[in-house]
Amino acid sequence: MIEILSPTQLPRARAVGALVADILRSMKSRSAVGTNLLDIDAWTHKMITDAGAESCYVDYAPSFGRGPFGHFICTSVNDAVLHGLPHDYALADGDLLTLDLAVSLDGVVADSAISFIVGAKQDPADLAMIDATERALAAGIAAAGPGARIGDLSHAIGTVLSAAGYSISTQFGGHGVGSTMHQDPHISNTGRPGRGYTLRPGLLLALEPWIMADTDELITDEDGWTLRSATGSRTAHSEHTIAITEDGAEILTLPTRP
Ligand code: MG
Ligand code: MG
């Protein structure tokens, strides 16, 4: 199903986008050496509740996970890239952490993810990988607008990731967003321009390039949720929710404060 928001619903989409971005920004600032992933989960839960919003994750039970998820944010560390299940782990200096969050407010969902390094040990290879996902995300957004095709976005994302030297998994990608978290159309992180669904104003899309340093093969952790690189190599993931507007695309998941 593909949902199209009416212009009167756009302010609600902006509100939930800002909420998601502000929670992620807050969690990033609190992710210090020694911070426990379960504390990040609890702080996220409180911020969602205080905002009068609902978690899209806590009861989420798709076919690919050992559901329900039971937590409020995905915390993926180092070789973990997607769907990281929060657990009793204290962050170490140099850990590469990805936080992925989706919440619903007033019936509209926003979904965003950020990767960053904890502490002072900033490995240049990690920084380059994070940068590649952020540039790929920006390229995908730049390709979005009314009349563009999904393949145009996929091609823009994949071109940046490939040029940076990474292989691309097509197992998971971006997606439509609306009253629920995961909707059509699917947005692969590689593709051919001029193909697929034609974008129109009111469509909300989550674009989410993710990569692993030296492989495109995933393995599932014993926890039944966390997806890791098959080689144990490090990983990165960047995601924004955007709204297609009359004259382009608007990023909804930008923080409202520094
Ligand atoms: Mg997400
Ligand atoms: Mg998503």
Side-chain angles (χ1 to χ4, degrees), residues 5 32 39 59 90 100 111 127 153 167 173 194 217 227:
L5 263 64
D39 288 329
D59 296 322
D100 192 346
D111 184 4
L127 292 173
L153 281 58
S167 54
E217 192 182 337
L227 296 173

Side-chain angles (χ1 to χ4, degrees), residues 60-80:
Y60 188 54
S63 58
F64 55 79
R66 189 184 295 159
F69 189 72
H71 291 271
F72 297 86
I73 190 167
C74 292
T75 55
S76 301
V77 181
N78 296 337
D79 60 318

Side-chain angles (χ1 to χ4, degrees), residues 115-162:
S115 287
F116 56 91
I117 299 170
V118 176
K121 275 197 336 202
Q122 308 260 324
D123 185 327
D126 289 347
L127 292 173
M129 192 164 44
I130 294 168
D131 180 64
T133 62
E134 291 176 348
R135 286 187 293 111
L137 177 57
I141 294 168
R149 309 282 291 265
I150 289 295
D152 300 339
L153 281 58
S154 296
H155 177 72
I157 291 168
T159 298
V160 172
L161 297 179
S162 296

Side-chain angles (χ1 to χ4, degrees), residues 57 100 111-112 208 239:
Y57 288 168
D100 192 346
D111 184 4
S112 182
E208 47 181 316
E239 179 177 23

Side-chain angles (χ1 to χ4, degrees), residues 185-203:
H186 173 73
I187 308 160
S188 174
N189 285 328
T190 182
R192 295 167 68 180
R195 302 289 183 93
Y197 182 78
T198 301
L199 310 189
R200 51 191 170 119
L203 182 66

